[in-house]
């Protein structure tokens, strides 16, 4: 079920500090992600329902173009399944330097109506 558009508009006006405090009051203590930064200048805050992908980067000896081109490649599937208005959140299992989605797949995600991508390079427990 997608987020109500009025809630999305409200959340775009809420500061990170306010949102974090509200989560803290509800017992959610570790709500921050380290090192998140936009790759392009942001014109508005990124708000949307998270569509998540836990991604285990391939070993160098197994990383082959044929694997990346397969229709069942996990990032490709996530892009095709992410609902309009969602934010694709990718857990790269602690690998900060891992490239998961290139410009073609990112453009496809945008065309499908998703609002953005967040890659988590360092998992926090």
């Amino acid at each position: 079920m997608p987020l109500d558009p009025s809630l999305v508009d409200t959340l775009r006006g809420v500061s990170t500090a306010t949102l974090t405090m509200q989560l803290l009051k509800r017992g959610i203590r570790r709500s921050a992600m380290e090192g998140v930064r936009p790759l392009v200048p942001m014109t508005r805050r990124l708000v949307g329902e998270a569509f998540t992908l836990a991604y285990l980067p391939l070993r160098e000896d197994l990383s082959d173009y044929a694997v990346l081109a397969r229709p069942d490649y996990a990032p490709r599937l996530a892009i095709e399944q992410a609902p309009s208005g969602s934010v694709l959140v990718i857990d790269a299992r602690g690998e900060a330097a891992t490239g998961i989605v290139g410009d073609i797949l990112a453009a496809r995600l945008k065309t499908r109506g998703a609002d953005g991508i967040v890659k988590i390079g360092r998992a926090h427990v």
Side-chain angles (χ1 to χ4, degrees):
M1 174 176 189
L3 291 174
D4 183 304
S6 64
L7 176 60
V8 170
D9 288 340
T10 299
L11 288 172
R12 282 201 176 104
V14 175
S15 72
T16 302
T18 298
L19 184 58
T20 301
M21 184 55 69
Q22 291 304 313
L23 291 171
L24 181 61
K25 287 179 180 180
R26 288 160 177 79
I28 301 171
R29 302 196 181 294
R30 295 179 185 232
S31 61
M33 295 183 290
E34 181 182 327
V36 175
R37 59 183 164 55
L39 296 177
V40 296
M42 305 255 325
T43 57
R44 62 187 176 122
R45 291 186 178 172
L46 181 59
V47 176
E49 187 173 342
F51 188 84
T52 59
L53 169 64
Y55 179 75
L56 181 60
L58 295 172
R59 291 185 348 216
E60 282 293 319
D61 60 329
L62 298 178
S63 182
D64 178 271
Y65 173 77
V67 172
L68 303 177
R70 290 175 39 179
D72 63 344
Y73 177 57
R76 187 179 311 277
L77 283 176
I79 286 167
E80 293 303 323
Q81 295 171 0
S84 181
S86 66
V87 176
L88 179 58
V89 179
I90 303 170
D91 175 1
R93 313 302 266 174
E95 296 292 333
T98 299
I100 299 170
V101 175
D103 58 344
I104 293 172
L105 291 179
R108 173 70 179 149
L109 185 66
K110 183 177 181 180
T111 299
R112 294 200 67 256
D115 279 351
I117 301 171
V118 174
K119 183 187 120 190
I120 303 169
R122 293 190 178 155
H124 293 282
V125 182

